[in-house]
Amino acid sequence: MNDATQLPKGALEGIRVIEWAHAHMGPGGGMLLADLGAEVIHVEPPVIGDMMRRFTRVFGADFALPKGRNAFVEDINRNKKSIAVDLETDEGKEVIYQLVAKADVFLTNMRPRAVDKLRMDYDTLAAINPKLIYCHGSGYGDRGPERDSPGLEIIGLARGGIMLGSAFKEGPPVYPTVSVVDRLGGFGIGFAILSALVARERFGIGQRVSTSMLGWAINLQGVAVALAANTGQDPRPIPREETHDPLWNVYKCKDGVWIALGMIIQGEKFWPKLCEAIRRPDLENDPRFATQKLREENRRQLIELFDQTFAQIDSEEWIRLSKENDFIGSKVNTLVDLAEDEQVLANEYIVEQDHPVLGRWKYVPTPVYLSKTPVRVHSAAPELGEHTKEILTETLGYSSEEVAELSRKKVI
């Protein structure tokens, strides 16, 4: 394998994943595996397809694209194949059972009662393939009185404490941004599956793994949750005008662009250079601000002075000064800004590729670098059932006549 031409196309090349999942968290986990090179077969019901194909608006943004495409689906179903099968029929179940026999992973985020009703549970599938990695992603976890309750992004944010943990003490709950917990839960699914694949490689065992949106919502805030659980304190954001240390805050520049300072750890080191950079050398030895302790005690006055000062500086000038002085800071990007950010593009955190329907399209690939088995976006999200015939004939060996009969019965 020393010859670069013989290297696999991805770290998970040769791994087959059957993804019977909907919404974001489950398909998000499959997306991670697909980015790493796995063959991910997304199982959808015929005619209507995955529910997210009909998802059009959130946060006031329009997810509908030309020719019936959908921005949400383009993201979470890239690099996958789609098979449209009616699992309510015995013939449909048999198709999936045959795929499971040839698969490494079965991934679902369907509720337990749906899994049991359609006989897609671990015991059934493990009997077909004992070395199968079976992953279940849920809203609330495998145990407890709400194990079968539905959970979507807004519920995970609410139940996991993020909505109030992100809000001012006297303010209403905050909805931070699009799909934080869903996305994190998807990465949790990927982490669980990869762990189980390593265990299978080492010990020869298949197993059931699970994770939940609630669990990852809590884990995302681990330090704050642990503090609250052990001391009874309830960590919350505070208004920027009252931030504990003015060197850990955001300020608006002359051109309306916000910048962030993050120099709380080495404040004494940065203070003289910061005063010089913003052309306020008088502040360095001002008796109100001469030490970090004094700056904290008189923070409201200093924040007000910083507000006035940064309002006279263009953001581009500040970015130049920040780089020259090696300050810990950044421009506060909008989501639109990210697509033009030099650092983002240099690391391929956003990539642009040809799309068969949409022309040039920008993707957000999994942000992991592997030198010999790179993460990549290699195909657009499939149309509903685009690969059904291919999978049935090439993977499972169905004849053309058998495929036609399944189609006639509306099984596929």
Side-chain angles (χ1 to χ4, degrees):
M1 294 285 292
N2 290 330
D3 185 350
T5 62
Q6 300 302 310
L7 290 173
K9 294 179 180 177
L12 296 184
E13 183 177 320
I15 297 294
R16 177 175 289 147
V17 179
I18 311 305
E19 177 191 286
W20 180 44
H22 66 161
H24 192 163
M25 179 183 174
M31 175 197 69
L32 168 67
L33 303 176
D35 278 6
L36 291 170
E39 178 192 16
V40 178
I41 299 174
H42 183 55
V43 181
E44 305 184 65
V47 184
I48 61 172
D50 183 342
M51 63 183 286
M52 299 316 293
R53 290 186 181 275
R54 303 180 298 282
F55 184 81
T56 57
R57 292 190 70 79
V58 70
F59 280 82
D62 190 353
F63 279 65
L65 299 173
K67 299 183 180 179
R69 308 293 290 205
N70 178 297
F72 198 101
V73 172
E74 294 303 324
D75 175 59
I76 60 172
N77 284 341
R78 63 172 183 252
N79 291 341
K80 299 179 186 178
K81 297 177 178 178
S82 170
I83 182 171
V85 181
D86 185 355
L87 296 185
E88 299 279 354
T89 65
D90 290 339
E91 296 97 328
K93 290 184 181 65
E94 182 59 28
V95 168
I96 301 305
Y97 291 161
Q98 290 184 52
L99 282 172
V100 164
K102 296 174 176 286
D104 300 280
V105 177
F106 183 86
L107 161 61
T108 185
N109 66 338
M110 301 298 181
R111 292 158 70 178
R113 64 189 183 200
V115 169
D116 294 340
K117 174 187 174 185
L118 295 178
R119 301 198 303 278
M120 293 292 154
D121 57 282
Y122 173 66
D123 289 342
T124 297
L125 301 190
I128 297 170
N129 182 351
K131 290 191 176 181
L132 182 72
I133 306 304
Y134 182 106
C135 180
H136 184 247
S138 65
Y140 294 101
D142 279 349
R143 298 174 293 278
E146 296 178 65
R147 66 182 292 270
D148 201 41
S149 296
L152 292 172
E153 170 75 5
I154 192 169
I155 307 303
L157 291 167
R159 191 63 174 270
I162 293 178
M163 279 189 164
L164 285 177
S166 303
F168 296 141
K169 285 217 180 241
E170 304 304 323
V174 171
Y175 199 145
T177 187
V178 179
S179 300
V180 173
V181 180
D182 267 331
R183 199 73 165 195
L184 186 63
F187 277 94
I189 283 173
F191 175 78
I193 289 172
L194 291 173
S195 301
L197 285 171
V198 171
R200 190 183 69 174
E201 179 70 19
R202 296 186 64 202
F203 310 122
I205 56 172
Q207 60 181 305
R208 182 184 187 279
V209 300
S210 66
T211 189
S212 74
M213 190 180 297
L214 176 61
W216 284 102
I218 292 170
N219 190 270
L220 178 64
Q221 309 166 93
V223 173
V225 172
L227 178 68
N230 287 288
T231 70
Q233 297 181 69
D234 185 17
R236 297 282 194 90
I238 56 176
R240 58 170 296 279
E241 295 82 6
E242 300 175 15
T243 297
H244 184 64
D245 189 320
L247 272 63
W248 183 276
N249 207 353
V250 293
Y251 300 95
K252 185 184 283 189
C253 290
K254 183 179 181 180
D255 52 7
V257 174
W258 289 85
I259 56 97
L261 303 183
M263 296 178 276
I264 190 172
I265 303 299
Q266 296 177 295
E268 299 294 11
K269 168 189 170 182
F270 287 113
W271 178 242
K273 295 169 68 176
L274 178 61
C275 293
E276 181 180 350
I278 63 175
R279 297 187 287 276
R280 288 299 304 269
D282 56 301
L283 296 179
E284 179 181 351
N285 297 309
D286 188 306
R288 298 170 295 173
F289 314 129
T291 67
Q292 183 161 332
K293 186 173 184 299
L294 287 169
R295 290 192 292 274
E296 291 173 2
E297 291 176 355
N298 298 295
R299 56 187 179 275
R300 291 177 183 83
Q301 297 173 58
L302 184 53
I303 290 169
E304 185 177 348
L305 286 170
F306 275 2
D307 279 340
Q308 296 168 5
T309 302
F310 279 102
Q312 306 304 313
I313 303 173
D314 282 326
S315 60
E316 289 300 320
E317 180 186 359
W318 168 252
I319 290 169
R320 177 183 62 78
L321 291 168
S322 184
K323 289 179 180 179
E324 288 176 359
N325 290 279
D326 201 26
F327 291 148
I328 304 172
S330 174
K331 173 189 174 185
V332 180
N333 274 335
T334 67
L335 296 181
V336 173
D337 291 335
L338 293 175
E340 305 296 332
D341 188 300
E342 180 181 4
Q343 189 66 21
V344 171
L345 298 178
N347 286 279
E348 298 186 327
Y349 296 146
I350 296 177
V351 298
E352 187 175 36
Q353 294 185 188
D354 288 324
H355 188 286
V357 175
L358 301 172
R360 298 293 287 176
W361 186 257
K362 294 181 173 69
Y363 291 94
V364 182
T366 300
V368 174
Y369 172 74
L370 291 86
S371 64
K372 295 183 179 180
T373 56
V375 171
R376 65 195 184 98
V377 178
H378 57 77
S379 63
E383 298 283 4
L384 172 62
E386 180 178 337
H387 302 92
T388 301
K389 184 175 181 180
E390 171 193 322
I391 293 166
L392 288 173
T393 57
E394 298 181 15
T395 304
L396 299 181
Y398 280 63
S399 67
S400 297
E401 292 75 18
E402 289 171 318
V403 172
E405 179 64 11
L406 290 177
S407 180
R408 184 186 69 78
K409 291 182 176 180
K410 299 188 179 351
V411 173
I412 59 173

